[in-house]
Amino acid sequence: MRTLVSPTQLRSGRGKAIYWTVFTVVMLLFLLAFVFPLYWAITGAMKDPAELARTPPTVFPAQWHPEVWGESWERLNLLTYFGNTVLVALGAWLIQLAVDVPAAYALSKLRPVLGNKILALMLATLMVPASALLVPTYVTITDLPIFGVNLINSPTAIWFPAAANAFNIYLLKRFFDQIPGELLEAAVLDGAGQIRILWRIVLPISKPILAVVSILAIVAAWKDFIWPLLVFPDPTKQTLSVALQRMEIDMPLNILLAGLVLASIPMVLLFLFFQRHILAGLTAGSVKG
């Protein structure tokens, strides 16, 4: 395989020195770009407000205030808002799997009439700015068609618009396309219906891509701000992103910064725990043969 640096050059002393120097510099730059903001947020939360507002800023706190974490948890009432956010994120995740997985399976294996055109129309919605959909979606959830109910201040106002995600359907379909048709045909000959095939055969071998879709759905619901701001006018129903923004006016900066760090911890841990599944899901089906 031809690469930018040949194996012969890498085996030489000068080649090894250049390679490891470049590798080390690049890794340090990436580490600085991704880790330094986390360090800045964590150490900034443990500074007092006066030091946090100082110009130029201090790299290390002059005095450490670890008690800020407990104070932030209590003053910001984070337990309530964590509960609201978990409810919203889990509901959005479950409803996306319930809608997107069967839709992708149908487009991939059942091949309905005009299936490719339907998929193209789904993908075309990704080109529409999210802000352009706010007004029609808001009007819809304030007077739900057929049922005529108002979903404001209800988690379903987040769940229903998130149900059909074109990008997730595309990812799932691409993965399902790689499943051998002979495997499903054998199940049909054994008398299995399409629902049973999906549940017993397709889903167990689709864990990598399901992990990717799950992470995308949960993170999107967890960090969303504009839509929860519109549909949760009741402060007791708000998610973390909305509640922290509402309280920033009356709250010391270090307390607010500690709250932001605490709010981000679950998503960081989620990614670290499932990173192997995410990478496996993103690369699954990319190489055929």
Side-chain angles (χ1 to χ4, degrees):
M1 181 180 294
R2 180 65 179 173
T3 60
L4 186 62
V5 182
S6 68
T8 303
Q9 291 174 312
L10 285 178
R11 283 194 292 266
S12 66
R14 183 171 179 270
K16 289 182 180 179
I18 295 175
Y19 172 81
W20 285 110
T21 300
V22 173
F23 178 80
T24 303
V25 170
V26 171
M27 290 302 296
L28 288 176
L29 289 176
F30 272 100
L31 187 66
L32 185 65
F34 289 102
V35 175
F36 185 74
L38 295 176
Y39 165 81
W40 194 257
I42 294 171
T43 56
M46 289 189 282
K47 299 175 183 178
D48 59 56
E51 183 182 1
L52 192 56
R54 185 183 303 171
T55 303
T58 55
V59 178
F60 302 99
Q63 289 186 337
W64 295 83
H65 297 278
E67 69 280 359
V68 72
W69 305 108
E71 187 178 354
S72 175
W73 183 270
E74 295 294 333
R75 293 184 61 176
L76 296 176
N77 194 20
L78 290 182
L79 181 61
T80 298
Y81 299 117
F82 261 108
N84 294 343
T85 309
V86 169
L87 177 63
V88 166
L90 289 181
W93 166 58
L94 290 174
I95 198 169
Q96 283 194 46
L97 289 184
V99 173
D100 295 353
V101 171
Y105 177 76
L107 291 172
S108 175
K109 297 303 181 184
L110 303 185
R111 302 185 182 279
V113 178
L114 303 178
N116 290 334
K117 293 181 174 57
I118 293 173
L119 179 62
L121 290 175
M122 289 182 181
L123 295 178
T125 62
L126 297 176
M127 308 301 172
V128 180
S131 57
L133 302 175
L134 289 177
V135 173
T137 308
Y138 185 83
V139 171
T140 300
I141 63 110
T142 54
D143 186 12
L144 195 65
I146 301 176
F147 299 98
V149 297
N150 190 336
L151 300 181
I152 294 295
N153 285 322
S154 170
T156 53
I158 303 289
W159 300 345
F160 289 164
N165 186 296
F167 183 69
N168 287 345
I169 291 175
Y170 176 74
L171 286 180
L172 290 163
K173 180 185 179 300
R174 290 291 298 169
F175 186 90
F176 293 158
D177 287 343
Q178 305 303 319
I179 298 177
E182 294 80 3
L183 180 64
L184 306 185
E185 291 172 2
V188 171
L189 292 177
D190 288 338
Q194 293 299 331
I195 296 178
R196 187 176 181 184
I197 292 174
L198 176 62
W199 184 258
R200 293 296 184 90
I201 299 177
V202 175
L203 292 186
I205 63 178
S206 303
K207 291 180 180 179
I209 195 62
L210 292 177
V212 173
V213 170
S214 297
I215 295 296
L216 294 177
I218 292 173
V219 171
W222 191 277
K223 69 182 181 64
D224 195 13
F225 172 73
I226 296 296
W227 186 242
L229 178 66
L230 293 175
V231 300
F232 290 136
D234 184 355
T236 63
K237 304 289 186 181
Q238 291 174 348
T239 57
L240 279 166
S241 59
V242 178
L244 290 173
Q245 185 273 340
R246 174 175 53 83
M247 293 183 287
E248 69 176 352
I249 300 175
D250 304 320
M251 201 61 58
L253 188 55
N254 61 334
I255 299 292
L256 182 66
L257 193 56
L260 292 171
V261 173
L262 291 172
S264 64
I265 287 176
M267 293 301 98
V268 174
L269 294 178
L270 188 68
F271 174 78
L272 292 177
F273 187 76
F274 288 105
Q275 60 177 326
R276 294 182 61 184
H277 298 281
I278 297 172
L279 295 175
L282 289 174
T283 56
S286 59
V287 180
K288 187 175 181 181

